C-alpha cells in the first residue's frame, strides 16, 4: 500500500509538471530527485528506474527534489573592490600598510569561516535575565551565550578597539580600525555595539586625562588581552526620553566624604548591559539636596559594574531586559541605580559637552555598521544572483535585476566613502595633523553621515531582502535579522531629526565655519577631477548643486529659526548627497580607478543632489507650512 501510494504520488507529480511546463520554456535547473539533490548521495534503484522512465520524480516524502542553492558568504575583504581600492589609494606606501592589508585579509577569512557562525549563534541564543537564585536571593544575572563571550575575547585579540589607539599606524589607525569593524559588523552578533561604547569611553577618558581613577579602565578598554579587556556602557537615556537629555535626566549624584559619589536614578535604555564599566550623566546634589535643572546641571560620571560578597550587583538592580525589534543578540536593560558608587569625570555642569566625544565615536561606529550592512546584503544578493534561476535564466542575466543591484551598489559606495571620510578626518585629528578645516569638517560630517547612512541602510537592506524573493522574508536564512538590526541605526545615537538639528547647531556655534570648510573642501575635490572628461557630467552636477546650496545658506541666514528648523532634514540630506558625489568623483579620478568607479559617480550625481534648494523653491519651509503639515496629519 505504502509503495503504491508513493508511486501514485510520483505519477501525479510528474503529470502536473508536464502540465505546468506545457508551452513554457523549461527551466535550466530541472526538478531533481531528493537523493540527487544531496551532493555525494547515491541514487537508489528506484530513482534509476524513474529516471530511465523519463519521469519527473518527487521523493517519497513528496516534497519534491529541487533545493535552491543558498548564498555563500565569502571573505568580505576580498569581495569588496571599493574597500581594497580605497586602502590602496590612501594608505602610505610602507610596510605597516602591507601589514594592515594582510591583517584585513586574514580577518576577512576568519569572519567568513568562524565569526559569522558565532554571530548567528548570538541571534539564536539571545540574552536572558535571571533575577533570583534558586534560594530566592536577588542576583540580577544577565546570562549571555557562549558565542557572545567568545566574541568579546576575539574582539580583544583582533584589537577592534585597541587599533584605534595604536600610535604606530599614525593618522591611519582609525581607517584601519574602522575597516576591520566594517568587515566584522554584519557577522558580529551585534558585538559592535559594546565595542562602539567601549571605544567612545576610551576616547572620553583620553580627553579628560588618563589618570586615576580611570587609568586602569583606559588600559583595559584598549587592551588586546582577552583576560584584561573591558567593555563600557553609555547610560544616557532615562524615562523622559533619549534625545532631550538635558531635560530628561533625573538621576542624582550624592557627594561622599571621600570625593566620590553615589548615583540614584533610573536608566531606561542601557545597551550591552553586561559591560564592565559605564559612563553616565547625573545631577550633583548640593548640601541641601537641590540640583540644577537642564543641561547645565548635568555632570559626567564613571562607574564600575561589580558585585559584592553577597553576589549582588553593587548599587544596581536590573529591572528587565528590553523586548526589541532587532539587536536581540545584545542585552539592553532598564536599570535602577540605587547608590551606585561613581567618580565625576567632568567639571560640574559639563556633562553633555564631555560625553559629546563619546557620541562622536559611537555615531561613527553607527555609520560604519550602516555601510557594512548594505555591503553585506549586496554581497549575498550578488552571489545569490549567480545561483538562482527564474524565467529561464540566472538572476544575474536579468537586466532589471542587475539594475536594482547596481542601484544598491551606488548607494553602498556613497555610504562607504562618506564613512571612510569621517574616519580619515578623525585619524588626522587624533594624530595632531588636522587643519582647522579638517576639524570643522569632522564636526559637521559626523551627524550628517550618521543620519544619512542610517536611512540608506534600511532602504538598501530592505531592497536586498527583496532580491531573494520569499526567502528574504524567512527567519532562519538569517536575512530578516539584517533588516531588523538596520532599523535601529537611524534611531539610536541620535535620530535623524535630532542629528539634523545638531547640524544646524554646529553651523550656528561655529558662526558658519563648518559650512565654509564644507564648501572649500568639496570645491577642492571637484577641482582635482576637472581634467577627467568622463566625469564631466558628474562634476557639473555637483558644482551646480553646491552653488544652489551656497545660495540657500545665504538666504537661510536671513530667515527665522523656525524656517531653518523646517529645512534642517533636507539640508542635512543635501550636505550628504553633495559630499558623497564629490567623494565618488574624487575616487573615480584616481589614476587606478576603474570604469565602474566612473559609472557609480555618474549614476549617483543624476539624482536631486540639493534637495533643500528644490524644496525651498516650492515653498516647503514657508511660515504657512507647519500649520498645514499639522492639519494634514490630524485631519
Ligand atoms: C553599531 C554601533 C552602534 C552604537 C551603539 C550605541 C548604543 C547606545 C544606545 C544609546 O545610548 S542611544 C542614546 C544616545 N543618545 C543620544 O544620542 C542623545 C541624542 N541627543 C542629542 O544629541 C542632543 O543634541 C544633545 C543631548 C547633545 C542636546 O543636549 P544639549 O544640552 O541641548 O546640548 P547643547 O546645549 O547644544 O550642547 C552642550 C555642549 O555639548 C556644547 O558645548 P559647549 O558648552 O562647550 O558649547 C556643545 O557644543 C556640545 N555638544 C553637543 N552635541 C555635540 C557637542 N559637541 C560635539 N559634538 C556633538 N554632537
Amino acid at each position: 500500500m505504502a509503495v503504491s501510494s508513493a508511486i501514485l504520488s510520483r505519477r501525479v507529480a510528474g503529470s502536473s509538471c508536464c502540465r505546468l511546463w506545457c508551452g513554457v520554456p523549461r527551466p535550466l535547473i530541472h526538478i531533481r530527485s531528493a537523493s540527487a539533490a544531496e551532493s555525494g548521495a547515491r541514487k537508489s534503484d528506484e530513482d534509476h528506474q524513474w529516471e530511465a522512465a523519463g519521469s519527473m520524480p518527487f521523493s517519497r516524502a513528496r516534497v519534491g527534489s529541487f533545493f535552491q542553492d543558498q548564498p555563500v558568504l565569502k571573505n568580505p575583504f576580498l569581495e569588496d573592490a571599493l574597500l581594497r581600492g580605497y586602502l590602496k589609494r590612501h594608505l602610505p606606501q610602507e610596510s605597516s600598510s602591507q601589514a594592515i592589508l594582510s591583517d584585513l585579509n586574514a580577518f576577512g577569512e576568519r569572519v567568513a569561516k568562524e565569526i559569522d557562525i558565532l554571530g548567528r549563534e548570538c541571534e539564536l541564543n539571545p540574552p536572558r535575565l535571571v533575577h533570583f537564585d534558586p534560594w530566592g536571593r536577588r542576583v540580577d544575572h544577565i546570562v549571555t551565550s557562549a558565542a557572545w563571550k567568545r566574541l568579546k575575547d576575539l574582539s580583544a585579540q583582533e584589537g577592534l578597539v585597541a587599533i584605534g589607539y595604536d600610535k604606530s599606524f599614525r593618522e591611519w589607525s582609525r581607517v584601519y580600525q574602522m575597516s576591520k569593524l566594517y568587515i566584522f559588523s554584519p557577522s558580529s552578533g551585534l558585538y559592535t555595539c559594546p565595542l562602539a561604547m567601549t571605544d567612545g569611553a576610551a576616547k572620553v577618558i583620553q580627553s579628560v586625562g588618563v589618570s586615576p581613577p580611570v587609568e586602569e579602565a583606559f588600559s583595559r578598554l584598549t587592551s588586546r588581552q582577552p583576560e584584561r579587556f573591558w567593555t563600557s556602557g553609555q547610560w544616557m537615556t532615562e524615562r523622559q526620553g533619549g534625545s532631550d537629555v538635558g531635560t530628561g535626566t533625573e538621576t542624582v549624584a550624592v557627594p561622599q566624604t571621600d570625593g566620590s559619589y553615589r548615583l540614584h536614578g533610573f536608566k531606561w535604555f542601557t545597551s550591552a548591559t553586561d559591560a564592565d564599566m559605564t559612563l553616565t550623566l547625573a545631577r550633583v546634589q548640593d548640601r541641601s539636596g537641590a540640583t540644577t535643572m537642564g543641561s547645565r546641571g548635568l555632570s559626567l560620571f564613571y562607574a564600575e559594574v561589580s558585585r559584592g560578597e553577597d553576589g549582588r550587583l553593587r548599587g544596581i538592580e536590573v529591572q528587565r531586559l528590553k523586548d526589541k525589534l532587532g539587536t536581540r543578540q545584545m542585552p539592553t536593560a532598564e536599570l535602577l541605580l540605587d547608590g551606585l558608587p561613581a567618580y565625576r569625570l567632568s567639571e560640574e555642569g559639563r556633562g553633555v559637552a564631555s560625553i559629546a566625544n563619546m557620541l562622536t565615536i559611537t555615531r561613527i561606529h553607527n555609520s560604519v555598521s550602516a555601510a557594512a550592512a548594505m555591503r553585506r546584503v549586496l554581497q549575498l544578493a550578488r552571489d545569490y544572483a549567480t545561483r538562482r534561476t527564474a524565467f529561464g535564466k540566472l538572476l544575474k542575466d536579468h537586466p532589471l535585476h542587475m539594475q536594482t543591484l547596481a542601484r544598491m551598489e551606488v548607494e553602498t559606495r556613497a555610504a562607504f566613502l562618506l564613512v571612510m571620510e569621517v574616519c580619515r578626518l578623525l585619524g588626522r585629528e587624533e594624530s595632531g595633523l588636522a587643519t582647522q578645516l579638517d576639524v570643522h569638517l569632522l564636526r559637521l560630517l559626523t551627524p550628517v553621515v550618521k543620519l544619512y547612512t542610517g536611512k540608506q541602510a534600511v532602504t538598501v537592506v530592505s531592497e536586498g531582502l527583496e532580491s531573494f524573493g520569499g526567502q528574504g522574508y524567512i527567519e532562519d536564512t538569517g536575512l530578516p535579522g539584517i533588516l531588523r538590526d538596520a532599523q535601529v541605526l537611524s534611531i539610536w545615537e541620535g535620530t535623524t531629526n535630532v542629528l539634523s538639528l545638531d547640524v544646524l547647531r554646529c553651523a550656528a556655534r561655529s558662526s558658519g565655519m563648518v559650512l565654509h570648510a564644507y564648501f572649500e573642501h568639496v570645491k577642492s575635490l571637484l577641482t582635482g577631477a576637472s581634467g577627467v572628461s568622463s566625469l564631466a557630467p558628474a562634476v557639473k552636477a555637483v558644482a551646480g548643486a553646491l552653488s544652489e546650496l551656497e545660495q540657500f545658506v545665504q538666504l537661510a541666514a536671513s530667515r527665522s529659526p523656525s524656517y531653518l528648523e523646517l529645512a534642517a532634514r533636507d539640508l542635512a540630506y543635501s550636505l550628504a548627497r553633495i559630499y558623497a558625489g564629490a567623494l565618488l568623483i574624487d575616487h573615480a579620478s584616481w589614476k587606478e580607478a576603474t570604469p565602474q568607479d566612473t559609472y557609480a559617480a555618474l549614476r549617483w550625481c543624476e539624482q536631486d543632489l540639493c534637495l533643500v534648494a528644490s524644496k525651498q523653491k516650492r515653498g516647503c519651509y514657508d511660515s504657512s507650512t507647519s500649520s498645514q503639515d499639522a492639519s494634514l496629519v490630524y485631519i
Side-chain angles (χ1 to χ4, degrees):
M1 183 63 186
V3 172
S4 62
S5 64
I7 290 171
L8 183 63
S9 73
R10 284 174 179 242
R11 284 189 178 142
V12 170
S15 60
S16 75
C17 272
C18 286
R19 260 204 326 274
L20 264 177
W21 295 112
C22 194
V24 178
R26 287 179 85 84
L28 289 180
I29 296 180
H30 299 280
I31 296 172
R32 295 168 292 180
S33 73
S35 52
E38 294 166 17
S39 61
R42 282 178 43 208
K43 289 178 186 172
S44 66
D45 291 346
E46 201 182 346
D47 287 327
H48 283 299
Q49 278 171 18
W50 279 104
E51 280 182 14
S55 304
M56 300 290 287
F58 273 72
S59 75
R60 280 170 295 274
R62 301 180 202 173
V63 292
S65 54
F66 169 78
F67 294 97
Q68 179 61 48
D69 279 352
Q70 66 185 56
V72 174
L73 177 64
K74 298 173 191 142
N75 181 332
F77 175 69
L78 293 180
E79 284 287 293
D80 196 328
L82 184 61
L83 169 64
R84 286 185 291 114
Y86 180 90
L87 295 173
K88 186 173 180 200
R89 180 183 181 192
H90 290 277
L91 292 181
Q93 298 267 331
E94 57 189 38
S95 59
S96 65
S97 302
Q98 276 315 312
I100 291 174
L101 297 177
S102 2
D103 182 49
L104 291 174
N105 186 17
F107 187 60
E109 210 57 32
R110 204 174 177 195
V111 165
K113 302 233 164 84
E114 175 191 352
I115 295 174
D116 196 58
I117 298 161
L118 294 173
R120 186 81 191 125
E121 274 177 42
C122 291
E123 174 98 28
L124 296 174
N125 301 294
R128 63 192 169 86
L129 174 62
V130 176
H131 264 142
F132 299 99
D133 78 2
W135 306 99
R137 289 186 193 87
R138 184 90 190 228
V139 287
D140 289 359
H141 266 297
I142 295 175
V143 181
T144 55
S145 65
W148 179 258
K149 294 185 181 75
R150 176 87 191 96
L151 284 165
K152 180 178 184 184
D153 291 352
L154 194 146
S155 299
Q157 282 164 351
E158 293 285 352
L160 294 177
V161 176
I163 292 169
Y165 297 83
D166 189 336
K167 300 264 183 289
S168 61
F169 301 107
R170 304 194 309 279
E171 80 261 40
W172 299 107
S173 298
R174 288 297 187 177
V175 165
Y176 174 21
Q177 176 202 18
M178 297 298 174
S179 299
K180 208 162 176 180
L181 282 162
Y182 168 76
I183 292 171
F184 178 59
S185 177
S187 297
S188 71
L190 247 287
Y191 211 81
T192 42
C193 175
L195 296 180
M197 295 187 290
T198 301
D199 194 351
K203 173 83 177 176
V204 168
I205 292 174
Q206 204 176 44
S207 68
V208 298
V210 183
S211 55
V214 285
E215 194 177 20
E216 168 76 2
F218 181 81
S219 115
R220 286 180 176 274
L221 297 174
T222 56
S223 175
R224 284 175 179 261
Q225 294 168 265
E227 62 283 6
R228 278 191 55 70
F229 183 55
W230 272 6
T231 58
S232 176
Q234 168 195 315
W235 301 349
M236 282 179 67
T237 305
E238 301 198 4
R239 278 210 196 90
Q240 289 187 45
S243 297
D244 187 2
V245 174
T247 308
T249 303
E250 295 178 312
T251 299
V252 294
V254 182
Q256 307 294 298
T257 50
D258 63 357
S260 70
Y261 293 79
R262 296 271 171 166
L263 305 187
H264 297 266
F266 196 92
K267 298 293 174 181
W268 175 243
F269 216 107
T270 66
S271 280
T273 317
D274 59 334
D276 304 283
M277 58 159 274
T278 193
L279 297 186
T280 191
L281 297 173
R283 298 181 195 284
V284 175
Q285 274 187 346
D286 66 17
R287 285 204 190 100
S288 67
T291 56
T292 306
M293 297 317 289
S295 214
R296 289 188 317 142
L298 290 175
S299 304
L300 177 65
F301 290 86
Y302 159 77
E304 288 176 18
V305 181
S306 62
R307 288 185 181 272
E309 280 172 13
D310 59 357
R312 291 192 61 169
L313 284 169
R314 280 200 184 88
I316 302 173
E317 279 185 11
V318 185
Q319 180 97 345
R320 61 174 168 161
L321 292 188
K322 296 288 199 186
D323 187 4
K324 296 168 288 177
L325 170 69
T327 70
R328 293 182 196 159
Q329 313 87 319
M330 176 193 63
T332 298
E334 294 171 17
L335 300 180
L336 172 68
L337 308 187
D338 187 14
L340 173 66
Y343 296 92
R344 182 163 52 79
L345 284 190
S346 72
E347 283 173 35
E348 275 191 38
R350 297 291 296 159
V352 172
S354 302
I355 210 167
N357 272 321
M358 187 172 204
L359 295 179
T360 298
I361 296 296
T362 50
R363 286 170 183 171
I364 293 173
H365 276 257
N366 199 95
S367 309
V368 171
S369 291
M374 292 182 233
R375 177 53 71 200
R376 172 58 57 85
V377 86
L378 198 45
Q379 277 169 359
L380 294 175
R382 72 178 191 165
D383 180 78
Y384 190 63
T386 66
R387 299 170 189 277
R388 159 88 168 124
T389 293
F391 303 107
K393 53 190 178 186
L394 288 166
L395 290 184
K396 77 175 182 57
D397 297 322
H398 288 277
L400 189 55
H401 192 71
M402 277 304 103
Q403 181 197 68
T404 307
L405 296 196
R407 287 178 180 173
M408 289 165 61
E409 175 69 34
V410 172
E411 290 291 327
T412 305
R413 282 173 171 247
F416 173 84
L417 290 176
L418 284 172
V419 170
M420 278 299 148
E421 177 71 350
V422 178
C423 300
R424 184 186 71 80
L425 292 166
L426 178 66
R428 284 178 67 75
E429 187 192 52
E430 291 180 336
S431 55
L433 290 175
T435 60
Q436 196 55 47
L437 183 139
D438 291 333
V439 173
H440 285 318
L441 269 181
L442 178 62
R443 176 67 184 92
L444 176 68
L445 290 179
T446 302
V448 166
V449 172
K450 191 281 183 186
L451 74 89
Y452 200 74
T453 56
K455 285 291 193 205
Q456 281 177 301
V458 177
T459 308
V460 169
V461 171
S462 174
E463 189 72 80
L465 260 57
E466 194 176 328
S467 74
F468 293 92
Q471 286 300 96
Y473 200 65
I474 296 301
E475 263 306 320
D476 58 3
T477 60
L479 293 165
I482 307 178
L483 182 60
R484 282 201 308 269
D485 292 349
Q487 184 64 61
V488 84
L489 296 167
S490 62
I491 297 175
W492 70 10
E493 293 309 315
T495 60
T496 309
N497 284 352
V498 164
L499 291 178
S500 300
L501 296 175
D502 189 45
V503 169
L504 290 188
R505 198 168 27 209
C506 78
R509 292 224 167 128
S510 68
S511 306
M513 291 310 290
V514 294
L515 290 172
H516 177 70
Y518 176 93
F519 289 123
E520 287 300 300
H521 194 59
V522 172
K523 280 174 195 163
S524 79
L525 291 173
L526 295 184
T527 306
S530 58
V532 187
S533 60
S534 58
L535 287 167
V539 171
K540 189 170 171 224
V542 174
L546 194 67
S547 152
E548 285 186 319
L549 187 63
E550 274 181 305
Q551 284 165 29
F552 173 81
V553 167
Q554 276 166 12
L555 172 123
S558 63
R559 297 297 175 102
S560 66
S562 60
Y563 185 90
L564 267 178
E565 185 177 328
L566 271 190
R569 187 189 268 241
D570 295 336
L571 173 65
Y573 279 29
S574 305
L575 289 164
R577 286 185 190 171
I578 293 171
Y579 206 91
L583 291 173
L584 285 160
I585 288 169
D586 176 57
H587 190 73
S589 67
W590 173 44
K591 66 178 183 334
E592 291 186 44
T594 62
Q596 293 76 29
D597 295 327
T598 304
Y599 184 69
L602 292 170
R603 283 285 184 234
W604 176 264
C605 294
E606 284 164 2
Q607 66 183 308
D608 183 358
L609 294 171
C610 194
L611 194 64
V612 75
S614 320
K615 297 268 184 201
Q616 181 260 322
K617 281 176 201 147
R618 292 186 201 117
C620 291
Y621 318 126
D622 291 351
S623 53
S624 60
T625 309
S626 285
S627 56
Q628 289 187 46
D629 285 346
S631 74
L632 181 62
V633 172
Y634 290 107
I635 192 165

